[in-house]
Amino acid sequence: MSATTSSGGPRFARTALPPCLANLDRLWHAMEARGLDGIVASSALNIFYLTSFNGIAHKADEPRPYAVVLSRHAPDRPVLVIAEYYLASFLRQPTWVEDIRPFRAVMMPLDLPAGRADLDRFIPVGEQPAWLGAAREKYAFDMRSSLTAALRDLGLANGRVGFDDMAMGLRLGVDGMQVADAYDALMFARAVKTAPEMALLERASVLNQQAIEKVVAEWESGGSWRDLSHRYTVAVAELGGFVHDPGGSVWGHPRGEDPALMLATGLEDEAIAPGTHVMFDCHGSLDLYCWDGGKTWVVGGEMTAAGKRNAKATAAATETLLAAMKPGARVSELQAAARAAYAKAGVPDATQAVVFFHGLGLSHMDLEQTLADGSPNGDWALEDGMVVPLHLLYPGGERERSWLEEIVAIGPDGGRPLFTWGFDPMLG
C-alpha cells in the first residue's frame, strides 16, 4: 500500500482551506447567552478556528503573537492582530477577516529605531490586495497598542469581553472593560461542526485508518511495542499527517492475564507475541483537525473462545450505540444501552465494560464544560452535527480483551461511522 500519490507527494497533501471554518451562528448565540459583548481569542486552535490561520513555529507556552477580536454587536467586523512576520501567510491562505493589523515583533532589532517601513521586509513583491494596503496603514509597534485599539474601534473598551486566555485580558488593563472567560462560549460553537469541518474530520479519519492498516499489513513477527509505535508514526508521516510527542498510540498493553487499564508511556519495548490483542487507539492531526480511534488487531489471527465472545459482544454493542446516538441522547443513557448489549451478548460481567464518549474536532473535547446557566455539563447531550468518538473496551488478558473506538457523526437518524472497516477485529 503506497503512502504517496503518483506524483511522489503524500496522499493527504495540504491545500488552502476555506476562509471560514467556524460555526459563527452558534458563537453569537453563545455570546448572547453568556452576556459577552465581545471575544478575544489568542490560542493557536481558536485562532485557526476563527480565521483559518495556522501559524508555523509557535509553541503553546510562548507569548502569543496573535489575537482575533470579535464583537457580537458588529459581527461582520472582526479584527486580527498579528505579528508582522505572519502577514504574507494570508496571500496563500485566505481568511474571512478583512481587517488584519500587523505589529512589530521579535524579529525586529532593538538596537535600531522602529519605523513604518519595517513592515516592508515581510511583504513580497507582486500583487497587493486591498486588505494588505489597509494592514500597512494600521501597522503598530507593539501588540498591546494594536489590540487595545481594536477593542476601542469595535466599541468593546467598556464592554464585557471574554478571553480564551483571561491572563491576557487582565494584563491589558483596559479601564472600563470587564474581563470574562470565553472558554465555554467557544467550545459551544466548536461542538457542532460546519460542513468544511466535517470534511476535514472525515479526511483525518481516513488517514488514521490507512496508517493502521499499513502497519498491520507490513508487520513482521518478533517486533516490539516500540517497533509498532515507530511504524505507525512513520506511516502517518508518509501519508501527510502528524503524530505528537510521545507517540500516537494511546493504550498500554499489560501482558499475560493482567486485565488492568493502562496508557502507553512510549517506553514499552517488549516483544509482541502471536495471539496478542493489540488495541489501536491512535491520535494525530491533519490540518489541525484531530483523528482518534481504531480497533483490535489479533496478531497472527488466532483467537481464543473468550476472545471471540468478547469481540462479538463489542460489535453488537457498537451497533446498538450507533442506532441510539441521535440528537438529545445523553451519555449516561448511551452507556446503559451499551452495557445492556454486552449483557445480552453473554459476557461474564457487563459492569466491567468501559464505555465512554467525548467530542472531537480541533481537540479531543470540543465541548463546553459549564452551561450558560452556570451548571456543569457532565451528562451532556448529543446534537445534530457533532462528531463523537464511542469507546468500547471489554477488559481481559492479552488474548481476551476487546477494544473498538469508532468515530461517529451525529445525525437525525443516529450515528454515522467515519471508519469503513466494520466492527470486527483485524486478523493476521
Side-chain angles (χ1 to χ4, degrees):
M1 181 186 296
S2 172
T4 61
T5 64
S6 58
S7 62
R11 183 174 299 162
F12 296 85
R14 299 182 67 174
T15 59
L17 298 174
C20 185
L21 297 165
N23 195 331
L24 293 174
D25 288 341
R26 279 180 69 92
L27 183 60
W28 309 135
H29 173 81
M31 291 168 68
E32 182 176 11
R34 290 162 175 77
L36 297 177
D37 296 299
I39 276 182
V40 176
S42 60
S43 74
L45 293 181
N46 284 328
I47 287 288
F48 178 68
Y49 180 68
L50 295 170
T51 70
S52 297
F53 171 70
N54 183 5
I56 199 164
H58 183 253
K59 302 298 184 292
D61 63 351
E62 296 170 355
R64 293 175 176 177
Y66 33 54
V68 61
V69 187
L70 301 99
S71 169
R72 175 166 60 91
H73 311 295
D76 58 345
R77 292 177 54 204
V79 176
L80 176 60
V81 172
I82 195 161
E84 77 244 291
Y85 49 78
Y86 282 133
L87 189 60
S89 301
F90 297 99
L91 296 172
R92 289 186 176 271
Q93 172 56 57
T95 177
W96 72 288
V97 179
E98 298 179 355
D99 191 346
I100 302 174
R101 305 185 183 188
F103 63 88
R104 196 173 195 266
V106 68
M107 289 189 186
M108 288 294 91
L110 298 177
D111 59 327
L112 297 174
R116 300 193 63 78
D118 291 340
L119 185 61
D120 293 335
R121 299 173 183 242
F122 302 98
I123 299 175
V125 176
E127 183 180 355
Q128 303 290 303
W131 66 262
L132 190 54
R136 287 180 182 275
E137 296 300 317
K138 293 178 179 176
Y139 182 43
F141 293 154
D142 64 275
M143 184 176 182
R144 186 180 186 280
S145 63
S146 185
L147 188 51
T148 54
L151 289 164
R152 287 194 305 270
D153 292 347
L154 290 175
L156 296 174
N158 294 303
R160 186 167 186 267
V161 179
F163 287 75
D164 65 352
D165 176 8
M166 287 186 68
M168 171 182 277
L170 296 173
R171 285 194 301 268
L172 279 176
V174 177
D175 291 337
M177 184 180 72
Q178 182 182 352
V179 175
D181 184 5
Y183 178 89
D184 288 307
L186 284 160
M187 284 298 183
F188 176 84
R190 285 169 50 175
V192 173
K193 311 308 176 194
T194 61
E197 287 187 285
M198 190 66 75
L200 291 172
L201 282 163
E202 291 178 349
R203 188 168 179 256
S205 289
V206 173
L207 187 152
N208 183 32
Q209 178 176 332
Q210 291 188 6
I212 293 172
E213 290 172 336
K214 179 177 173 62
V215 170
V216 170
E218 297 178 355
W219 185 252
E220 298 174 356
S221 179
S224 70
W225 292 107
R226 184 172 295 172
D227 295 330
L228 187 76
S229 178
H230 177 68
R231 291 186 186 198
Y232 177 76
T233 300
V234 171
V236 164
E238 289 178 341
L239 287 164
F242 296 84
V243 164
H244 309 290
D245 190 3
S249 192
V250 174
W251 279 117
H253 291 78
R255 302 174 70 188
E257 299 304 312
D258 190 347
L261 306 180
M262 299 177 63
L263 299 187
T265 65
L267 303 175
E268 297 81 3
D269 199 27
E270 301 85 358
I272 302 177
T276 298
H277 288 204
V278 173
M279 300 183 293
F280 277 113
D281 177 7
C282 298
H283 289 194
S285 62
L286 180 64
D287 288 316
L288 282 185
Y289 276 84
C290 298
W291 68 71
D292 198 350
K295 55 159 53 176
T296 302
W297 168 40
V298 181
V299 181
E302 294 294 328
M303 299 182 71
T304 66
K308 291 178 181 178
R309 177 200 63 211
N310 296 342
K312 183 177 179 180
T314 298
T318 302
E319 294 280 7
T320 296
L321 282 175
L322 289 174
M325 292 178 74
K326 298 178 181 179
R330 292 195 174 275
V331 168
S332 60
E333 298 167 348
L334 296 172
Q335 290 172 327
R339 212 171 302 284
Y342 267 113
K344 184 178 180 181
V347 298
D349 184 0
T351 66
Q352 294 303 303
V354 177
V355 184
F356 64 100
F357 307 83
H358 57 73
L360 190 69
L362 289 169
S363 77
H364 289 255
M365 185 55 66
D366 272 21
L367 290 167
E368 55 184 336
Q369 299 302 290
T370 304
L371 300 175
D373 63 5
S375 60
N377 191 30
D379 190 9
W380 48 278
L382 304 185
E383 293 187 62
D384 189 4
M386 280 184 168
V387 174
V388 177
L390 69 83
H391 310 70
L392 293 173
L393 171 57
Y394 195 80
E398 64 180 6
R399 295 176 67 96
E400 295 180 354
R401 58 196 174 215
S402 180
W403 159 258
L404 188 141
E405 181 179 357
E406 182 59 74
I407 312 305
V408 182
I410 306 302
D413 299 323
R416 174 174 63 88
L418 299 191
F419 292 137
T420 61
W421 52 17
F423 311 136
D424 296 326
M426 293 183 289
L427 305 177

